[in-house]
């Protein structure tokens, strides 16, 4: 046993192939995050593929109690990402669905349970993959920003994502992290929740927005598009000048490719001048 | 207690626009969670205690029949009269019989959630018996004819002015113009008023935090001491307890006590933890002559047999409520029945029906903070999801959700069609967004009112990632 | 009544899917009950001797009890008189008829009016013994009985408790062991009171106030020396 290198289990020796699970919201609303993720993965020494057959992880159906549809979608994902070294998502929420809930869904179907567990084992949220598997260490870059960081609930509590994005971001020069109160509180997005119970959701996002404002930060960074769109939408409705970014864009240094979430090209131009 | 859980959305709307309530809730959030954190930090073995506590309850629940029989045997050997009650009505009738037999006209009450569940106060009043709540918070809401808004802090929704108003209108023996601004003064007044009630009461009713099978003892925890006066001064004592309160031994009760107060109020222990075993004995100078324990099922055995069995581990500490962002937004009354917060959203549909309380399991983002702080590690988010599953299968979910989801799932199961539909949708929205020249975002979209009513929605970029990846000739496998 | 009992036990057995006489389960349950074992005892509950005494005092004061230490029971009357004087209270005390306290030489403070028995509404100050003190949380353990009426612990505004230092133990579990050794396994006094500081409430705007229904003040006099009632000073 002495001949086996200690790191061989956690750090791949060959150049691994990573299947990017784009996620619905990135696919539809913010492709720039997908390209940022690709860039980061390639920089870290991975070959990136984007299986065409991927659609949705099934979380909306699962959370609505529609287990049959959720399982149908899960089977599709399991098939689409079979035989790829790793599956990486720019989302802790969809990552939690695959890693935690797929095995739950198939608890009574042994054949699929094995495949679900196998996929869960190979699946990582982007920042945890870079930090814990590829062990990239802090990622070099530059962004002049005082930023709050939002820990999305699924990522934080289902996958234990907290230190990884902060560690990666510590290499970004000019970036000052300002932790907020209520850091572990939900932003009120919750998928269908925010459209089914908009008043309660508004109250929750206001608590969050107040906490962000209290830090005096001019940026908000996070790892999940749903939460970020929710908070960006409320920040803008309340007229607060906080620019919202997905952590992948900041780490990849691709902020110039797209305006901050929910802002237009013109407002980005203004920001740059300012 | 009558339920208003069916009008949850209206209840929540009213709560969100109730300035006094919102002020109280703002203060509430700062309190319990901070104190819990400090208490847990002072106890390095907290997680080990949680594990042990969970094992105890799982074991007790898996052997509920045996432990209840043992409890009954030991309790009866010590002179306690044990009454088994299948439902709320049976429990109410049994309480009434005991009151009638003892000639009780004034009943001192310790705070009891089971008492709320079976609506004992309204029932006794209708029978001409006067129940007096003795926990300060519970007394205040009894004066205001309100249900509790929190299982361990029943009056947490009220301001001190509202308390003062309640005292002025009910304590008629005190001068109208007395100063009543300071909480200390209000407490002194309530203490004096309630002391006379304690001395007058012929019968006391309390709940139970635990029942100990080994000894036939009832464990009751309070901070005020009202529970102890209630179970010491009146001649007759009634304890109402649901079945799942039983634990095997004194050591097991002790382990659970170590996590209970820490999780609830952030105390190491509540001030008074009392183990009572039967009535007054020969030579005793005080204590009740009769002790009755009601063992109430009221839906517990059904949960024992279904996927909500783990909910029976709940020790009613309130930690899930104290950390719930939904509760923090709307308070306890919006839930519409005895319980609230995540534990309420699981218990209420189980106890009074999902048809009545269908909104409760849905009004959650499944953020998971409740499970994280639960000393019994009850998988509350999973249970909320299971209730949604139950609704979905019973076709009780709203049609818009059902059709929306099925449509989405239909597409998502067909990748090529999905990609086409997404690119068409995104292209369309993107074009509208650009045409509107409103800064690349929507302030109002007819089919997304729930979102755009309170937030802007960014307009999509115009092409999906999948389209762009194909155009760039990116690798597919 | 027995109908309801059988109905409920039947529902439980169905829910637990108990198919046959559950001998194995019954044996496991019986074993657990006959031989109660401690679960997790935190480090804080493992102190002994002087450490336990210090921990007890620290924890009790942390929850707003007051403490003082005296060499023997003979010092108690003077300390009680001084305590009442400092609190501006009448020199009247209702004392538990506890043989452990019989050796207190009350006649050394002739101005103190001492009565024994249970507490009534007009008693402002009680004095009781204690079965044990738990260092882990500064908790007093009192057992009810003819010598220790429960009302003394709750009705008066001021509760003065005598705690012999040699009765301080590390954890709650230690007190159960002592109780079983004294009374026998499974035998409980009518009431076991754990008291951790004076009565309190935070029901009005979460403001912490002492003295809700029970005593507003809890004063613990720690007494060195032997705790047996046979050995008098």
């Amino acid at each position: 046993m002495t001949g086996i290198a200690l790191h061989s289990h956690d750090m791949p020796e060959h150049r691994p192939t990573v299947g990017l699970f784009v996620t619905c919201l990135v696919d539809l609303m913010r492709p720039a995050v997908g390209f940022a993720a690709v860039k980061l993965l390639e920089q870290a020494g991975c070959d990136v593929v984007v299986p065409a057959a991927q659609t949705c992880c099934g979380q909306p159906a699962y959370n609505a109690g529609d287990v049959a549809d959720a399982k149908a979608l899960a089977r599709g994902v399991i098939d689409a990402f079979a035989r790829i070294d790793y599956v990486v998502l720019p989302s802790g929420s969809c990552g939690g669905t695959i890693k935690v809930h797929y095995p739950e869904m198939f608890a009574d179907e042994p054949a699929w349970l094995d495949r679900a567990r196998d996929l869960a084992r190979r699946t990582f949220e982007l920042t945890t993959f870079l930090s814990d598997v590829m062990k990239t260490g802090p990622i070099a870059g530059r962004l002049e920003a005082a930023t709050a960081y939002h820990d999305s609930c699924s990522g934080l509590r289902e996958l234990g994502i907290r230190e990884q994005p902060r560690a990666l971001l510590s290499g970004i020069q000019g970036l000052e992290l300002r932790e907020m109160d209520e850091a572990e509180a939900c932003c009120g997005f919750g998928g269908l929740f925010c459209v089914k119970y908009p008043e309660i959701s508004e109250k929750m996002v206001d608590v969050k927005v107040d906490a962000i404002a209290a830090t005096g930060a001019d940026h908000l960074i996070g790892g999940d598009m749903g939460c970020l769109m929710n908070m960006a939408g409320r920040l803008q409705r309340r007229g607060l000048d906080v620019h919202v970014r997905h952590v992948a864009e900041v780490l990849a240094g691709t902020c110039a490719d797209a305006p901050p979430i929910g802002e237009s090209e013109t407002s980005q131009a203004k920001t740059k001048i300012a | 207690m009558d339920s208003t859980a069916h009008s949850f959305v209206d209840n929540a709307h009213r709560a969100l626009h109730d300035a006094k309530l919102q002020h109280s809730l703002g203060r509430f959030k700062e309190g319990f969670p901070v104190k819990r954190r400090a208490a847990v930090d002072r106890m390095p073995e907290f997680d080990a205690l949680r594990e042990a506590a969970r094992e105890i309850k799982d074991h007790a629940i898996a052997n509920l029949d045996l432990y209840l029989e043992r409890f009954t045997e030991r309790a009866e050997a010590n002179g306690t009269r044990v009454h088994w009650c299948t439902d709320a009505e049976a429990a109410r009738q049994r309480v009434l019989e005991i009151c009638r037999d003892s000639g009780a006209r004034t009943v001192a009450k310790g705070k009891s959630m089971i008492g709320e569940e079976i609506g004992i106060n309204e029932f006794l009043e209708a029978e001409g018996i006067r129940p007096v709540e003795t926990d300060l918070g519970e007394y205040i809401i009894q004066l205001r004819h309100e249900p509790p808004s929190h299982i361990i802090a029943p009056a947490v929704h009220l301001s001190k002015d509202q308390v003062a108003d309640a005292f002025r209108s009910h304590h008629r023996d005190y001068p109208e113009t007395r100063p009543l601004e300071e909480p200390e003064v209000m407490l002194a007044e309530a203490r004096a008023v309630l002391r006379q009630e304690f001395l007058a009461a012929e019968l006391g009713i309390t709940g139970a935090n635990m029942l100990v099978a080994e000894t036939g003892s009832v464990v009751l925890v309070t901070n005020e001491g009202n529970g102890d006066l209630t179970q010491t001064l009146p001649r007759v004592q009634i304890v109402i307890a649901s079945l799942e309160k039983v634990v095997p031994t004194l050591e097991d009760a002790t382990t659970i006590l170590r996590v209970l107060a820490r999780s609830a109020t952030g105390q190491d222990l509540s001030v008074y933890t009392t183990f009572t075993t039967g009535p007054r004995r020969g030579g005793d100078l005080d204590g009740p002559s009769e002790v009755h324990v009601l063992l109430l099922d009221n839906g517990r055995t059904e949960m024992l047999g279904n996927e909500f069995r783990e909910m029976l581990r709940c020790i009613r500490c309130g930690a899930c409520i104290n950390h719930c962002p939904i509760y923090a937004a709307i308070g306890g009354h919006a839930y519409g029945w005895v319980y609230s917060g995540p534990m309420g959203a699981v218990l209420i549909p189980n106890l009074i029906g999902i048809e009545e309380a269908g909104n409760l399991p849905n009004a959650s983002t499944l953020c998971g903070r409740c499970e994280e702080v639960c000393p019994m590690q009850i998988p509350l988010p999973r249970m909320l999801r299971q209730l949604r599953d139950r609704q979905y299968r019973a076709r009780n979910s709203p049609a818009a959700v059902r059709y929306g989801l099925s449509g989405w799932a239909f597409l998502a199961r067909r990748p090529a069609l999905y990609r086409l539909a997404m690119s068409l949708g995104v292209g369309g929205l993107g074009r509208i967004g650009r045409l509107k020249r409103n800064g690349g975002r929507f302030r109002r979209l007819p089919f997304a009112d729930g979102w755009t009513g309170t937030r802007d929605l960014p307009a999509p970029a115009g092409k999906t990632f999948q389209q762009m990846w194909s155009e760039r000739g990116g690798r597919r496998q | 009544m027995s109908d309801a009992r059988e109905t409920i036990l039947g529902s439980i057995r169905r829910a637990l899917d108990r198919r046959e006489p559950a001998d194995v389960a019954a044996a496991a349950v019986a074993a657990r009950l006959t031989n109660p074992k401690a679960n997790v005892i935190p480090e804080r509950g493992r102190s002994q001797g002087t450490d336990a005494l210090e921990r007890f005092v620290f924890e009790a004061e942390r929850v707003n009890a007051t403490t003082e230490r005296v060499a023997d029971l003979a010092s108690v009357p003077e300390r009680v008189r001084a305590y009442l004087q400092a609190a501006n209270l009448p020199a009247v005390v209702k004392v538990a008829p506890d043989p452990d306290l019989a050796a207190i030489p009350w006649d050394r403070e002739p101005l103190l009016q001492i009565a024994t028995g249970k507490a009534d509404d007009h008693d402002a100050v009680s004095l009781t013994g204690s079965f044990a003190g738990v260092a882990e949380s500064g908790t007093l353990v009192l057992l009810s009985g003819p010598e220790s009426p429960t009302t003394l612990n709750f009705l008066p505004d001021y509760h003065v408790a005598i705690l012999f230092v040699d009765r301080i133990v590390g954890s709650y579990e230690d007190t159960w062991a002592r109780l079983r050794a004294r009374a026998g396994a499974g035998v409980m006094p009518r009431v076991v009171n754990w008291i951790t500081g004076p009565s309190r409430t935070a029901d009005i705007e979460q403001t912490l106030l002492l003295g809700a229904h029970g005593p507003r003040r809890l004063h613990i006099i720690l007494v060195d020396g032997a705790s047996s009632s046979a050995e008098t000073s």
Side-chain angles (χ1 to χ4, degrees):
Chain A
M1 295 298 283
T2 48
I4 296 175
L6 275 177
H7 64 267
S8 66
H9 287 290
D10 28 285
M11 191 152 43
E13 282 169 351
H14 67 288
R15 193 173 166 88
T17 302
V18 169
L20 180 70
F21 193 132
V22 188
T23 76
C24 305
L25 287 176
V26 169
D27 187 36
L28 287 170
M29 307 301 290
R30 200 150 177 96
V33 170
F35 288 105
V38 171
K39 182 177 174 191
L40 286 164
L41 290 167
E42 287 177 346
Q43 277 176 2
C46 307
D47 290 329
V48 180
V49 299
V50 182
Q54 63 177 292
T55 59
C56 166
C57 69
Q59 185 190 99
Y62 192 54
N63 283 351
D66 179 5
V67 179
D69 276 328
K71 283 167 83 168
L73 295 178
R75 288 192 188 95
V77 173
I78 292 170
D79 281 337
F81 288 91
R83 292 181 304 277
I84 296 178
D85 295 340
Y86 295 101
V87 180
V88 172
L89 312 85
S91 159
S93 171
C94 309
T97 300
I98 295 178
K99 280 184 94 70
V100 178
H101 300 300
Y102 279 12
E104 260 171 36
M105 287 181 207
F106 294 109
D108 298 330
E109 293 178 53
W112 280 101
L113 178 59
D114 285 348
R115 298 191 64 194
R117 284 187 177 148
D118 172 59
L119 178 66
R121 188 181 51 74
R122 289 182 286 124
T123 299
F124 294 88
E125 180 274 339
L126 177 67
T127 61
T128 49
F129 182 74
L130 294 173
S131 176
D132 300 347
V133 181
M134 299 310 293
K135 304 202 184 298
T136 59
I139 291 179
R142 179 151 199 97
L143 181 73
E144 293 300 330
T147 188
Y149 196 91
H150 174 66
D151 297 296
S152 294
C153 297
S154 306
L156 178 68
R157 281 179 272 266
E158 291 182 341
L159 304 181
I161 306 172
R162 204 193 126 72
E163 298 312 321
Q164 298 91 334
R166 288 170 175 77
L168 298 176
L169 285 168
S170 68
I172 306 290
Q173 284 181 27
L175 188 137
E176 179 206 345
L177 207 55
R178 296 195 185 167
E179 299 292 352
M180 58 178 138
D181 280 352
E182 306 267 349
E184 299 198 349
C186 174
C187 72
F189 171 63
L192 282 175
F193 170 84
C194 71
V195 286
K196 278 166 83 178
Y197 302 97
E199 283 194 307
I200 304 176
S201 177
E202 175 189 357
K203 174 75 189 177
M204 290 162 73
V205 74
D206 270 341
V207 169
K208 207 74 208 182
V209 162
D210 289 343
I212 295 164
T215 65
D218 51 31
H219 277 68
L220 170 69
I221 300 176
D224 269 276
M225 277 305 294
C227 314
L228 293 174
M229 283 167 56
N230 180 41
M231 288 181 288
R234 190 63 187 166
L235 283 162
Q236 283 146 20
R237 183 63 59 94
R238 285 180 46 179
L240 292 163
D241 198 17
V242 177
H243 308 297
V244 182
R245 290 282 183 186
H246 191 284
V247 63
E249 301 172 274
V250 176
L251 291 171
T254 57
C255 288
D257 295 355
I261 294 169
E263 297 181 32
S264 62
E265 306 284 352
T266 44
S267 61
Q268 189 192 24
K270 271 193 302 200
T271 310
K272 276 182 178 165
I273 294 160
Chain B
M1 177 181 161
D2 292 333
S3 159
T4 63
H6 54 273
S7 39
F8 172 80
V9 173
D10 292 339
N11 299 349
H13 174 81
R14 267 197 307 280
L16 286 161
H17 291 87
D18 178 338
K20 280 189 172 164
L21 173 64
Q22 289 299 324
H23 187 254
S24 297
L25 289 170
R27 190 174 46 235
F28 165 78
K29 267 191 311 197
E30 313 290 309
F32 288 140
V34 175
K35 294 192 179 95
R36 175 195 173 274
R37 183 75 257 161
V40 169
D41 288 346
R42 238 168 67 84
M43 176 53 73
E45 297 90 344
F46 189 74
D47 281 337
L49 288 166
R50 273 173 96 181
E51 271 306 317
R54 172 200 166 112
E55 185 276 330
I56 291 162
K57 285 292 270 188
D58 277 344
H59 169 79
I61 291 163
N63 295 285
L64 194 57
D65 49 346
L66 300 168
Y67 283 118
L68 284 172
E69 286 180 299
R70 173 61 173 249
F71 168 81
T72 304
E73 179 214 313
R74 295 307 307 152
E76 288 177 346
N78 282 298
T80 300
R81 298 189 214 166
V82 179
H83 311 265
W84 298 64
C85 306
T86 51
D87 57 18
E89 179 57 17
R92 286 190 291 260
Q93 290 301 333
R94 188 47 56 119
V95 170
L96 181 62
E97 279 168 39
I98 299 166
C99 289
R100 294 265 192 260
D101 287 351
S102 62
R105 294 162 67 188
T106 300
V107 170
K109 270 211 62 222
K111 187 173 83 63
S112 155
M113 296 315 294
I114 301 296
E116 301 289 338
E117 240 185 70
I118 67 174
I120 194 64
N121 287 0
E122 301 86 320
F123 174 78
L124 289 178
E125 275 166 19
E127 297 291 339
I129 295 165
R130 200 168 64 92
V132 181
E133 291 289 353
T134 60
D135 170 86
L136 178 60
E138 199 79 22
Y139 174 66
I140 292 165
I141 61 166
Q142 186 186 28
L143 295 182
R144 291 172 50 92
H145 304 288
E146 285 183 304
S149 68
H150 188 292
I151 59 170
I152 66 160
V156 72
H157 58 290
L158 296 176
S159 67
K160 61 181 182 180
D161 320 349
Q162 290 170 301
V163 177
D165 289 347
F167 284 8
R168 278 189 203 286
S169 56
H170 286 86
H171 298 163
R172 294 301 175 80
D173 294 345
Y174 287 77
E176 193 72 33
T177 55
R178 67 195 184 279
L180 210 50
E181 280 76 44
E182 293 310 313
E184 290 88 339
V185 180
M186 295 182 223
L187 173 62
E189 186 171 308
R191 179 182 167 110
V193 169
L194 285 169
R195 180 57 68 91
Q196 294 318 306
E197 301 284 13
F198 277 123
L199 296 168
E202 298 92 353
L203 188 143
I205 299 179
T206 68
N209 290 87
M210 283 181 272
L211 306 171
V212 183
E214 177 196 358
T215 54
S217 307
V218 173
V219 184
L220 186 67
V221 171
T222 74
N223 273 315
E224 298 183 1
N226 64 308
D228 290 282
L229 290 177
T230 304
Q231 60 184 344
T232 305
L233 296 175
R235 196 182 63 77
V236 178
Q237 185 201 353
I238 300 178
V239 177
I240 41 183
S242 49
L243 303 177
E244 80 281 11
K245 298 287 179 194
V246 72
V247 298
T249 65
L250 294 168
E251 277 76 0
D252 293 331
T254 300
T255 298
I256 291 172
L257 288 166
R258 280 202 183 92
V259 296
L260 174 60
R262 289 188 169 90
S263 300
T265 55
Q267 293 169 284
D268 290 351
L269 271 185
S270 299
V271 175
Y272 300 113
T273 302
T274 303
F275 300 74
T276 306
T277 314
R280 182 192 289 224
R281 297 179 187 171
D284 277 354
L285 302 177
D286 50 25
S289 306
E290 280 178 36
V291 175
H292 302 263
V293 173
L294 272 58
L295 296 176
L296 176 64
D297 182 342
N298 209 31
R300 270 65 179 181
T301 53
E302 197 180 328
M303 290 169 71
L304 186 65
N306 65 27
E307 65 268 44
F308 299 98
R309 178 190 286 192
E310 288 184 85
M311 192 62 209
L312 297 176
R313 284 206 300 266
C314 177
I315 54 172
R316 307 291 191 267
C317 69
C320 62
I321 304 174
N322 299 341
H323 291 79
C324 177
I326 314 286
Y327 181 94
I330 60 176
H333 286 157
Y335 292 77
W337 201 60
V338 176
Y339 301 103
S340 59
M343 57 86 74
V346 171
L347 265 186
I348 297 172
N350 268 290
L351 296 181
I352 66 172
I354 191 110
E355 303 76 19
E356 168 69 18
N359 266 300
L360 304 188
N362 288 288
S364 163
T365 61
L366 305 176
C367 80
R369 217 173 175 190
C370 48
E371 182 176 5
E372 187 179 58
V373 297
C374 175
M376 291 292 148
Q377 302 174 61
I378 298 169
L380 291 156
R382 192 196 82 201
M383 290 179 171
L384 295 173
R385 223 184 251 115
Q386 280 167 327
L387 285 164
R388 296 176 189 186
D389 176 36
R390 194 188 268 188
Q391 278 177 308
Y392 199 88
R393 277 184 285 131
R395 307 198 155 268
N396 281 337
S397 318
V401 172
R402 299 182 63 83
Y403 293 129
L405 275 176
S406 332
W408 175 261
F410 176 85
L411 287 174
R413 289 161 74 168
R414 293 162 180 78
L417 196 58
Y418 174 90
R419 285 196 301 276
L420 177 67
M422 293 308 118
S423 57
L424 287 176
V426 161
L429 282 177
R431 269 193 297 284
I432 298 168
R434 284 190 296 280
L435 281 174
K436 287 171 70 115
R437 297 189 176 284
N438 58 356
R441 57 188 193 253
F442 297 102
R443 294 184 78 86
R444 195 167 164 355
L445 269 182
F447 57 87
D449 245 5
W451 182 286
T452 54
T454 52
R455 296 152 277 233
D456 293 356
L457 180 71
K463 280 185 179 174
T464 67
F465 176 86
Q466 291 274 34
Q467 279 176 292
M468 294 161 81
W469 185 255
S470 292
E471 287 168 11
R472 295 182 192 186
R475 269 182 70 186
R476 287 302 190 173
Q477 51 188 312
Chain C
M1 182 174 77
S2 63
D3 280 355
R5 174 177 168 142
E6 286 319 307
T7 305
I8 291 171
L9 285 172
S11 307
I12 295 174
R13 291 182 189 123
R14 270 192 305 282
L16 294 176
D17 205 14
R18 291 217 194 278
R19 280 171 202 170
E20 56 226 67
D23 288 345
V24 179
V29 163
R32 187 156 178 151
L33 290 170
T34 1
N35 207 350
K37 63 168 177 42
N39 301 297
V40 176
I41 299 180
E43 190 58 37
R44 248 168 78 183
R46 292 176 182 275
S47 58
Q48 293 184 330
T50 315
D51 289 347
L53 170 66
E54 283 171 10
R55 169 62 81 171
F56 178 86
V57 169
F58 174 79
E59 296 292 344
E61 292 184 345
R62 200 172 162 268
V63 292
N64 311 89
T66 50
T67 66
E68 64 180 310
R69 191 172 172 189
V70 299
D72 51 28
L73 285 178
S75 320
V76 168
E78 192 274 324
R79 298 315 309 152
V80 170
R81 185 198 50 75
Y83 178 74
L84 298 184
Q85 201 165 24
N88 219 2
L89 289 164
V92 183
V93 182
K94 183 65 74 73
V95 177
D98 184 341
D100 287 342
L101 308 180
I104 300 176
W106 291 113
D107 53 0
R108 291 189 187 179
E109 290 294 336
L111 291 179
L112 274 181
Q113 293 180 43
I114 301 299
T116 57
K118 69 182 176 113
D120 295 312
D121 182 39
H122 52 78
D123 287 320
V125 182
S126 66
L127 185 135
T128 71
S130 316
F131 173 68
V134 180
E136 178 174 348
S137 53
T139 298
L140 288 174
V141 180
L142 277 76
L143 311 180
S144 74
E147 71 291 345
S148 179
T150 307
T151 40
L152 290 172
N153 311 342
F154 295 100
L155 274 178
D157 279 3
Y158 289 73
H159 178 195
V160 181
I162 303 291
L163 173 62
F164 292 101
V165 167
D166 64 3
R167 292 185 182 182
I168 294 177
V169 296
S171 68
Y172 317 112
E173 283 80 352
D174 293 331
T175 71
W176 296 133
R178 285 195 179 194
L179 186 59
R180 288 196 187 100
R182 197 183 84 157
V187 180
M188 286 284 273
R190 190 184 78 75
V191 180
V192 177
N193 286 123
W194 290 4
I195 300 177
T196 313
S199 161
R200 67 199 59 201
T201 184
D203 275 346
I204 302 175
E205 291 194 347
Q206 301 218 299
T207 310
L208 180 69
L209 301 171
L210 297 181
H213 289 291
R216 301 165 205 264
R217 299 285 179 266
L218 172 64
H219 185 62
I220 303 169
I221 301 181
L222 297 153
V223 181
D224 287 327
S227 62
S228 162
S229 52
E231 296 161 284
T232 52
S233 57

